[in-house]
Amino acid sequence: MNATTSEFREVASVFNGLSKNFFKKNIENIMDYRVFLEQSRLSIRDLLFNSIQQGSIKYSIKVESTYEIPNTDVRENRAFKTKCRSMFLDTDINNSLDEDFIKIIQEENDMMLKGSGFSLVSIDGILININKYTPLGGSSYIPLPECLERKKATINVQNTDNKCFKYSILAKLVDPVNNFRIGSNYTEVENSYDFSNLNFPVTLNDVGKFEKKKSRSIS
């Protein structure tokens, strides 16, 4: 299937829909990467937003282009792409796209600075790869098995959001009386640690980031 409109169309789906590719063709023949990316921002944002309503995802962006060496018959297809990154319901999509666009533009600039001799013929379009993603890590409250509950040796915070990791870190700062309930007892101490660089629910990679920032292990 080929994309023939100015919006994204699904062009591939594998593993029962767990991985999909979407393509937007540059039908307006925009020749400036920054302009083309910004013109596409809203449709990319909508695509990602709609995707994460069904659950966490990992995505990447690739801009496909055609280059030629002037006064020759030499033409090449080039692609400038981002790394695959995770996205959750609370992810700032615009901030992520800002970083993605900078990465793509920098890749193209680096190629031109190497003196390849190629000139841009056309920016052909944008390919978005979206994969459903189930992170390995803590999420929300799960009742303890009865054998553990009877021992009264585990603080099992009864949260209703996906910030289980945050509450487990803060629990040691909270008064032991009713420390399984979330209220002002937790909000009063939440600034004791910096959780700003974490995405929730926290993955194993995020745990490493937190430990590095605090220069200590949480185990």
Side-chain angles (χ1 to χ4, degrees):
M1 180 188 301
N2 293 320
T4 57
T5 71
S6 61
E7 299 304 317
F8 283 95
R9 294 181 60 186
E10 182 179 323
V11 294
S13 178
V14 296
F15 305 121
N16 293 320
L18 293 178
S19 179
K20 294 182 178 182
N21 286 341
F22 299 85
F23 188 78
K24 175 185 175 181
K25 188 175 182 179
N26 181 14
I27 62 173
E28 298 176 13
N29 197 30
I30 297 172
M31 294 292 288
D32 184 289
Y33 282 93
R34 192 179 303 276
V35 172
F36 180 52
L37 288 168
E38 287 300 335
Q39 187 257 10
S40 305
R41 178 186 288 267
L42 182 59
S43 53
I44 297 175
R45 188 179 66 191
D46 288 346
L47 177 62
L48 295 175
F49 177 82
N50 290 333
S51 296
I52 59 176
Q53 303 312 302
Q54 310 302 318
S56 305
I57 63 171
K58 282 195 171 185
Y59 78 96
S60 62
I61 301 175
K62 180 167 67 174
V63 177
E64 299 178 344
S65 304
T66 302
Y67 284 79
E68 69 176 3
I69 296 180
N71 303 317
T72 73
D73 295 328
V74 178
R75 283 200 172 197
E76 286 190 6
N77 296 322
R78 297 290 178 97
F80 308 103
K81 57 187 178 181
T82 68
K83 64 180 181 180
C84 188
R85 70 160 75 210
S86 305
M87 180 165 285
F88 308 94
L89 275 174
D90 59 354
T91 299
D92 186 326
I93 298 179
N94 272 324
N95 184 64
S96 296
L97 292 181
D98 286 342
E99 296 176 1
D100 291 333
F101 291 176
I102 290 172
K103 173 70 165 55
I104 289 169
I105 292 170
Q106 187 60 53
E107 273 200 11
E108 199 273 342
N109 286 341
D110 289 345
M111 185 199 76
M112 299 306 293
L113 288 173
K114 290 178 181 178
S116 62
F118 282 92
S119 295
L120 178 64
V121 175
S122 63
I123 300 173
D124 302 320
I126 301 178
L127 184 72
I128 310 286
N129 173 249
I130 297 178
N131 301 288
K132 291 185 179 180
Y133 172 52
T134 303
L136 178 62
S139 181
S140 189
Y141 167 74
I142 300 175
L144 289 173
E146 186 178 349
C147 60
L148 294 179
E149 183 68 37
R150 286 199 304 266
K151 292 182 179 180
K152 304 297 182 182
T154 302
I155 301 173
N156 192 22
V157 182
Q158 297 180 5
N159 59 307
T160 57
D161 54 21
N162 61 4
K163 298 181 179 180
C164 186
F165 175 83
K166 176 180 178 179
Y167 300 125
S168 68
I169 296 296
L170 295 176
K172 67 179 182 180
L173 305 178
V174 174
D175 190 318
V177 178
N178 292 329
N179 57 6
F180 61 92
R181 299 185 186 278
I182 295 177
S184 60
N185 54 344
Y186 278 87
T187 58
E188 288 173 356
V189 298
E190 64 180 346
N191 291 327
S192 300
Y193 294 95
D194 183 3
F195 298 96
S196 61
N197 66 330
L198 300 181
N199 289 314
F200 294 97
V202 168
T203 66
L204 290 180
N205 286 337
D206 287 327
V207 172
K209 293 178 186 177
F210 184 80
E211 290 181 327
K212 185 176 181 180
K213 195 167 188 178
K214 295 301 297 178
S215 298
R216 69 181 69 173
S217 172
I218 64 170
S219 58

